[in-house]
Amino acid sequence: MAQTEKKGGLLRKSSASKKPLKEKVVLMYDEIFTTEDPSKCNPRFWEELFLMKVNLEYLEGKLEALDGEELMKIKDNINCLFQHCIQALGEEHPIRVVNALQVPH
């Protein structure tokens, strides 16, 4: 039976024949770091994102890896992320509130 190890947003199978799997929240973060609006294909993108446990290590790594030019290309998505964090703080769902509080760190 293969063991699963969680590290940096990847779920790795100990079997060499299988590709590493990414957590769903990490896949969603990757969508934020593209130039397209992530909610374009999934209108519930932001609602779903804040229901998942934050992977702060991965998110911080992605932000720190950006240079100024790359950041300018995705600034609308980054602004959207923080706007939706603020909106989630006003919700009654405690999981969304806690997760929204963790993102801006």
Side-chain angles (χ1 to χ4, degrees):
M1 185 183 228
Q3 291 182 346
T4 303
E5 176 188 334
K6 184 176 177 183
K7 183 177 181 180
L10 296 177
L11 298 174
R12 299 186 190 271
K13 296 276 186 188
S14 61
S15 169
S17 64
K18 300 207 179 194
K19 287 184 176 181
L21 300 174
K22 286 188 177 182
E23 296 175 76
K24 184 172 181 181
V25 71
V26 168
L27 293 171
M28 293 181 85
Y29 291 158
D30 287 346
E31 288 183 50
I32 294 169
F33 287 88
T34 65
T35 55
E36 283 200 33
D37 176 1
S39 63
K40 184 178 179 181
C41 295
N42 179 3
R44 296 182 45 86
F45 178 86
W46 299 107
E47 293 169 29
E48 292 174 11
L49 180 67
F50 293 112
L51 285 175
M52 289 183 253
K53 184 177 178 186
V54 175
N55 185 327
L56 202 50
E57 178 184 344
Y58 187 81
L59 188 56
E60 285 177 345
K62 290 289 281 188
L63 285 168
E64 290 173 0
L66 295 174
D67 65 24
E69 189 176 311
E70 292 169 326
L71 187 59
M72 291 306 293
K73 288 179 184 175
I74 63 163
K75 77 174 187 164
D76 290 340
N77 286 354
I78 299 297
N79 287 337
C80 252
L81 171 62
F82 289 104
Q83 177 187 1
H84 283 91
C85 282
I86 292 167
Q87 288 176 348
L89 293 176
E91 293 189 19
E92 292 183 23
H93 199 291
I95 292 174
R96 284 192 176 129
V97 172
V98 169
N99 290 337
L101 280 170
Q102 292 180 15
V103 169
H105 288 100

